Every structure is written in C-alpha cells, then in structure tokens.
Amino acid sequence: MKIKTTIWLLIIVFIILLFMLPMKFIENDYGSTILTISTFFFGIFAGFCIAVTTTDYNSVRSLAAEETGGWIALLGTVKVYDAHAAIDLQKIISFYLQRSFDYDFVDYVRKTKKEFQVAQEFINNLSLNVERSSIHQNILGLIAGLVMTRQKLTVLGTKSLSSMEWMVLWTFAAIMIMTLYGLRTGDLF
C-alpha cells in the first residue's frame, strides 16, 4: 500500500473513532499518568529501534564502499598481473556494478549472485604466472575479501525490526492514541 493511501486511511479511521468512542471514558488522573508513562516508554523504545537501524544502515553503506574499493583494487592488481585479462575483467566488473544498481540497496547482493560468480570464476581461472605468483596470491586474497564483504552485506541486508519489536511499538502507540481519545472533553482548547 502506498504511503499516501495509508495516511488518508488512518485519518479517516481517527475521525470515525471521534464519533464512536465516548468522551471522558478515562479519568484525568489515570489518563495523564498512562499517557506520560506510555509516551516515555514509546520514545525510549522507538529511539532504540532508530539507533539500531541507523547503525545497521551505516554499516551497509560502509561495506558497499568497501566492496567498490575491493573491485577497484582487484582490477588494478589484475592489470599489473595480466593486462589482457584485465580488459575482460573490466567488462565483467562493469556488468556486475550495473546490475547491482538495478536492485534495492540492501538486496542487491542476493540478486547479483550470478554476476559475482562470473567474476569469481574468471579470477579463479587466471593462469598462474610463476614469476608473478605473489601478485596472483594478492588477487586471490582480494576476491576472498570481496566474498567476505558480500556475506556481511547479505546478513545486514536481511536484518530488520522483529515482529516482537513492531508489536511493542504498535502497542505503545495504541495506548497513547486510546488515552488521548479517553481524555478528550469535547472542548476545542
């Protein structure tokens, strides 16, 4: 459902509740206490959820930048190792990066698995040049680093608020809304 539709639906529900729920069905003393406590806990819990989600998002951004840097380092190292192979690898990396932009930021790792495997097989099938074996080891280390970065991105991409956390947020929000309806007197101010 689109956000605009949801907002309009909630406005209509809240207006209907104004006419369905009786006025002053909660005493002022109890209502004020309930509203204060539920608002306090809602703010703390929502702040915690926002902090955790923001931290995870920043980690995803950092890992995505690390992956991009890994691709650049890999291409540069392959250019030193085998200039002709670097031309083919550049096309593979270009295609991979273009495909990664086709998907949502937190979901692109799972969706570009085939494209990554093509690059990984290309690196694994590089012919071994004994004179440059240390560079070859660096290349294998870089591709292993990219695999680890992608695994971290996969884990963080699937991480979100649990159903229990959502239930707690919705419960506190419902308590606050019902308390506000229960405290209303019908006066404008």
Side-chain angles (χ1 to χ4, degrees):
M1 199 179 330
K2 291 185 177 181
I3 292 177
K4 278 187 175 182
T5 307
T6 305
I7 290 172
W8 282 110
L9 185 64
L10 285 173
I11 289 172
I12 291 170
V13 167
F14 289 146
I15 291 172
I16 291 172
L17 283 175
L18 280 173
F19 297 106
M20 291 182 65
L21 294 175
M23 285 189 234
K24 297 272 296 172
F25 66 87
I26 298 176
E27 291 183 37
N28 279 344
D29 293 337
Y30 295 124
S32 297
T33 304
I34 292 170
L35 187 60
T36 301
I37 292 171
S38 62
T39 304
F40 176 74
F41 284 128
F42 178 81
I44 289 174
F45 194 74
F48 169 76
C49 292
I50 290 169
V52 168
T53 305
T54 302
T55 302
D56 290 344
Y57 179 72
N58 287 336
S59 296
V60 168
R61 285 182 33 201
S62 174
L63 286 169
E66 185 179 321
E67 182 191 18
T68 304
W71 285 117
I72 293 168
L74 179 67
L75 183 60
T77 308
V78 170
K79 279 182 183 177
V80 171
Y81 184 74
D82 184 355
H84 296 294
I87 295 170
D88 294 333
L89 180 62
Q90 186 173 5
K91 292 176 187 173
I92 292 170
I93 292 172
S94 243
F95 182 70
Y96 167 80
L97 291 175
Q98 287 173 2
R99 292 284 293 152
S100 70
F101 286 117
D102 290 342
Y103 305 106
D104 192 29
F105 186 61
V106 295
D107 201 31
Y108 82 92
V109 174
R110 286 187 295 128
K111 303 284 187 173
T112 57
K113 188 174 183 179
K114 291 178 186 177
E115 291 81 3
F116 182 78
Q117 285 176 341
V118 170
Q120 194 174 17
E121 288 174 14
F122 180 84
I123 294 300
N124 290 335
N125 293 331
L126 275 177
S127 59
L128 180 61
N129 184 345
V130 179
E131 296 171 357
R132 297 181 176 182
S133 62
S134 63
I135 298 174
H136 189 264
Q137 287 301 315
N138 286 343
I139 291 170
L140 294 177
L142 287 169
I143 197 72
L146 285 170
V147 169
M148 286 181 15
T149 301
R150 284 175 54 87
Q151 288 173 341
K152 290 176 188 175
L153 281 166
T154 301
V155 170
L156 284 173
T158 59
K159 206 172 171 189
S160 64
L161 292 179
S162 69
S163 56
M164 182 67 165
E165 291 168 326
W166 279 111
M167 186 182 76
V168 170
L169 283 171
W170 282 107
T171 302
F172 281 133
I175 290 170
M176 288 187 309
I177 291 169
M178 293 310 294
T179 305
L180 287 171
Y181 276 111
L183 289 173
R184 69 190 166 97
T185 60
D187 295 333
L188 190 56
F189 294 103

